[in-house]
Amino acid sequence: MNLYGSISTEAHSVLTRATSVLRTALVGTLVVGSLAGCGLLRTGQRAVTTYAVDPLITADPSWPTVPWQLAVGAGAASRQVDGLRIAVRPTSHELQVYKGAQWSRRPSEMVGDTVLRALEESGRLSAVARVGGGVSTEYRLMLEVRRFESDYATGTPTATVEVNAMLLHAADQKIVASRTLVERTPATDVSIPAVVAAFEQTLAKTGSALTSWTLKAGALHDQTAHR
């Protein structure tokens, strides 16, 4: 029996369209509802809050004082890593973003500025500048941000920052030293403000570790080159 046998062709068309719209709406509601608990974005619209961090770094007495000048390059990162949305990895093979939240600056800018500021405020160099700033320097520090995400690998959101650093001797452009650094800080809870606070702490760790490494690697090369 034809279910629509007693319905006109026009009415049949209207009913079909209405059924399609209802099915789409239900699917969208289910998707949004399933993600609401963990705060991840797939669909839907809402106001976006912009977050800024201000990592504080204290100079370590063990850092050496060096006579040379350093230029810090603009941090590099892939488009996937360097977005303004706050990245979250709920599983090892899945990368999403928190809904309703974004950074005030890109991860590469945050890392680069944190390291530059830490080196400037350390008082251990004769001068620190950005690459292209018109200052003649003996060394250059190049940074590549490889991860900048909230990772749920341990079941707790953990602010994770991975940076590859290369220290170059400016005169011959040879690589003096290189290393890949990973810093992590667990958030106190799953809320976005708590995750942002964890990122602030992780950036402070990153800036401190890279400042220490840069000064020590450069000092060692400088001593060796003049023997």
Side-chain angles (χ1 to χ4, degrees):
M1 176 180 178
N2 185 352
L3 180 63
Y4 302 106
S6 61
I7 304 177
S8 68
T9 301
E10 182 179 357
H12 181 190
S13 177
V14 171
L15 179 60
T16 300
R17 289 197 300 272
T19 302
S20 177
V21 170
L22 178 60
R23 184 182 296 112
T24 301
L26 286 173
V27 170
T29 300
L30 289 173
V31 171
V32 173
S34 65
L35 294 174
C38 55
L40 308 181
L41 173 68
R42 283 191 187 276
T43 61
Q45 297 179 349
R46 59 173 293 179
V48 176
T49 301
T50 299
Y51 291 91
V53 292
D54 184 23
L56 300 178
I57 300 172
T58 302
D60 190 315
S62 68
W63 294 350
T65 298
V66 297
W68 35 267
Q69 300 181 103
L70 174 72
V72 180
S78 68
R79 291 176 61 186
Q80 183 180 23
V81 173
D82 211 26
L84 287 176
R85 302 308 298 266
I86 303 177
V88 54
R89 188 178 294 273
T91 67
S92 59
H93 302 295
E94 187 178 7
L95 189 63
Q96 299 184 25
V97 296
Y98 285 104
K99 65 181 180 181
Q102 68 178 17
W103 294 118
S104 61
R105 294 180 298 163
R106 298 186 182 280
S108 61
E109 296 172 334
M110 288 189 277
V111 170
D113 288 350
T114 297
V115 174
L116 177 66
R117 178 180 172 186
L119 286 162
E120 286 175 336
E121 297 181 356
S122 71
R124 301 299 204 272
L125 301 98
S126 60
V128 184
R130 296 183 186 276
V131 170
V135 178
S136 178
T137 60
E138 287 86 355
Y139 292 92
R140 291 185 179 183
L141 178 63
M142 309 306 292
L143 305 171
E144 179 190 1
V145 182
R146 294 181 175 175
R147 292 181 67 190
F148 202 95
E149 62 197 35
S150 173
D151 193 337
Y152 272 78
T154 62
T156 300
T158 300
T160 303
V161 176
E162 179 179 343
V163 181
N164 176 259
M166 288 193 302
L167 185 64
L168 288 75
H169 189 239
D172 52 22
Q173 289 297 297
K174 288 185 178 180
I175 298 176
V176 171
S178 65
R179 71 168 296 185
T180 297
L181 173 77
V182 181
E183 295 289 353
R184 299 179 174 89
T185 305
T188 55
D189 59 57
V190 300
S191 68
I192 295 177
V195 170
V196 170
F199 269 107
E200 187 170 71
Q201 295 177 48
T202 304
L203 273 172
K205 294 178 185 177
T206 301
S208 179
L210 286 175
T211 296
S212 176
W213 173 81
T214 300
L215 292 171
K216 292 176 180 178
L220 178 61
H221 177 268
D222 195 50
Q223 293 170 7
T224 303
H226 292 86
R227 286 178 183 173

